[in-house]
Amino acid sequence: MKKKLGVQFRKSRKTTHAFERLKYCKHCESYTVLEHEECDVCGRKNSFLSLRQLSHILSRRHFQKQLLILGLLICLAILSADTLWQLAAASVGGVVSLLLYALLQKKYSIYEKTNHFMRLISKEHDKIKSGLTRNLVEVNEDVEAERFKDAYEKIREVGCLFHSDAVKVCKIMLLNRFVLRKDMELELETLIPSTYDRDFIEYLGEVLKVQPWLLKKSVIDYVIRYKGNIFLEENGTRVIGQVAGAALRMKSYVVMYQDFISESLEYIPRERLLRLAKLLKANPDENWGSLREAASSLIETRYSFDPDFKGVL
Amino acid sequence: MLTYYILAVILLVLAARYVVLLLHKRKNLSEAEVDQHLLTLLNDERESYEKKAGRPVQEKPENHTRL
Ligand SMILES: [Zn+2]
């Protein structure tokens, strides 16, 4: 068994949208999600713009270009005036049109900016992809140099934008190299692969020991889908018991997954079974189906002499 | 006379600008939609991108960590 590393991950930036993690180098026009101070392509320092900033600059340029065209047309109108009356009309028309343009801009530019942003994303997504792929190469180099912590911190950033199985599996592999702790910034739902992955199950078992609150519906659904495969693993029954035990944290999960919990009762740790028994007792009117009978019969056969279980169910 | 034609062109430019801005307003895109669009673009074509590259881009770290 490989030795696990004790590490302290750097805090990951919290962002509302994934695109906020992307940085654009204004010198070489490349993209990255890694937290380097200098661009890894051209080596320049402080050359990064956020995608939002880039989009605003492009919108401003678009606005300036249109303003220039309008200004030129107004100048042309003034210059081509043959009479004083035409000169006055051109001047007044020019001022009014500039005012109208400014008014339109003020009122609607916010909608235009978002549209420009959307267009920018469509235009730049290939470049963004190659930037992320370049970042993954760096992750690869870190893994080869056994800088696993750096590799994970980097792939965690890339994983916010790339959701492929390969990225998830690589993250799981790296996470399985670390000693997991309660105070760590860990993930679970974002790692669920689209097919069965034994390393994910190994990670699931480890992460639930320290952060059972990471268990969500999608994880339980995955475990139910691949229950047969999990049972074949060395620690399969323990993981099933942990998942069923962690599902007891939420009453809604117990209601929703009562069949799964009922089938996994014998693998649930004692303390979780006690919690289930208390939950069933506190909610006698809920339709528990076979869960109540299964729990009582297990308690009777296994914990009949345990004082904690006396009179609970 | 040319002055009036140019003023008419200016008016047309402004009208066109108004229509374009109104269309943008009707679309009323949010940043969340932009983000979703980016994620779709990055992830939907992933398979074909990997095929083009001849291998999954991060195949190496995966194999390495499996050792
Ligand atoms: Zn650069």
Side-chain angles (χ1 to χ4, degrees), chain A residues 268-293:
Chain A
I268 290 183
R270 175 190 171 278
E271 158 271 322
R272 302 309 295 161
L273 189 65
L274 188 60
R275 171 168 165 83
L276 174 67
K278 283 177 180 167
L279 187 96
L280 294 175
K281 196 181 178 189
N283 298 279
D285 301 330
E286 194 79 49
N287 178 22
W288 294 118
S290 62
L291 184 60
R292 182 186 285 275
E293 285 93 79

Side-chain angles (χ1 to χ4, degrees), chain A residues 25 28 30 39 42:
Chain A
C25 173
C28 63
S30 63
C39 172
C42 67

Side-chain angles (χ1 to χ4, degrees), chain A residues 17-19 52 66 73-74 77 80-81 85-86 89-90 97 101 104-105 108 111-112 114-115 118-119 121-122 125 128-129 133 136 140 143-144 160-164 166-167 170 173 177 197 199, chain B residues 1-4 6-7 9-10 13-14 17-18 20-25 27-35 37-39 41-43 45-46 49-50 56-58 60-62 64-67:
Chain A
H17 306 298
F19 69 74
R52 208 182 262 129
Q66 294 217 329
L73 281 173
I74 293 167
S80 63
W85 177 241
Q86 281 184 9
S97 57
Y101 185 73
L104 284 180
Q105 198 62 29
Y108 299 107
Y111 305 107
E112 194 184 34
T114 329
N115 263 280
M118 188 69 123
R119 234 181 280 162
I121 297 266
S122 305
H125 83 273
I128 296 173
K129 254 184 193 174
T133 308
L136 284 173
N140 185 18
V143 172
E144 281 178 355
C160 291
L161 288 139
F162 270 170
H163 301 158
S164 73
V167 170
C170 186
M173 296 288 177
R177 288 185 168 271
D197 186 88
D199 294 301
Chain B
M1 201 59 197
L2 186 62
T3 306
Y4 297 124
I6 297 171
L7 281 174
V9 170
I10 291 173
V13 167
L14 280 177
R17 178 91 189 120
Y18 181 62
V20 168
L21 287 172
L22 265 191
L23 286 177
H24 285 329
K25 194 192 170 195
K27 270 198 215 161
N28 198 13
L29 288 171
S30 65
E31 282 200 333
E33 283 170 282
V34 176
D35 199 42
H37 180 60
L38 172 68
L39 292 176
L41 286 175
L42 289 179
N43 293 293
E45 295 167 31
R46 190 98 190 103
Y49 191 71
E50 283 177 351
V57 280
Q58 59 283 57
K60 271 174 116 183
E62 187 187 334
H64 189 89
T65 44
R66 271 190 194 279
L67 285 175

Side-chain angles (χ1 to χ4, degrees), chain A residues 77-123:
Chain A
I78 292 171
L79 289 174
S80 63
D82 296 326
T83 62
L84 209 61
W85 177 241
Q86 281 184 9
L87 186 70
S91 309
V92 172
V95 171
V96 169
S97 57
L98 279 177
L99 281 176
L100 264 176
Y101 185 73
L103 195 79
L104 284 180
Q105 198 62 29
K106 199 176 165 208
K107 204 171 166 198
Y108 299 107
S109 68
I110 180 81
Y111 305 107
E112 194 184 34
K113 268 184 192 163
T114 329
N115 263 280
H116 283 167
F117 198 5
M118 188 69 123
R119 234 181 280 162
L120 174 76
I121 297 266
S122 305
K123 209 181 99 205

Side-chain angles (χ1 to χ4, degrees), chain A residues 124-237:
Chain A
E124 295 285 286
H125 83 273
D126 273 335
K127 267 200 220 168
I128 296 173
K129 254 184 193 174
S130 46
L132 293 172
T133 308
R134 208 182 58 250
N135 291 161
L136 284 173
V137 171
E138 213 177 301
V139 171
N140 185 18
E141 285 165 4
D142 281 340
V143 172
E144 281 178 355
E146 302 203 348
R147 294 187 296 263
F148 300 119
K149 177 180 125 42
D150 293 343
Y152 174 68
E153 284 171 353
K154 285 174 188 170
I155 204 166
R156 182 176 62 178
E157 294 300 316
V158 179
C160 291
L161 288 139
F162 270 170
H163 301 158
S164 73
D165 267 2
V167 170
K168 289 177 185 173
V169 165
C170 186
K171 279 205 271 187
I172 296 165
M173 296 288 177
L174 288 163
L175 282 165
N176 278 339
R177 288 185 168 271
F178 308 130
V179 179
L180 306 181
R181 293 188 316 271
K182 210 171 190 163
D183 62 313
M184 274 175 156
E185 199 180 307
L186 297 172
E187 49 185 327
L188 183 58
E189 214 179 0
T190 47
L191 295 175
I192 302 173
S194 60
T195 54
Y196 180 68
D197 186 88
R198 57 154 45 148
D199 294 301
F200 176 70
I201 300 305
E202 183 192 332
Y203 174 70
L204 179 63
E206 291 304 310
V207 83
L208 288 183
K209 279 185 202 164
V210 292
Q211 299 187 5
W213 55 86
L214 289 180
L215 188 84
K216 298 284 177 308
K217 262 180 73 183
S218 51
V219 183
I220 307 175
D221 289 336
Y222 181 89
V223 169
I224 292 173
R225 197 181 330 140
Y226 295 109
K227 215 171 137 188
N229 300 60
I230 299 171
F231 273 126
L232 298 176
E233 300 294 345
E234 199 185 329
N235 291 322
T237 49

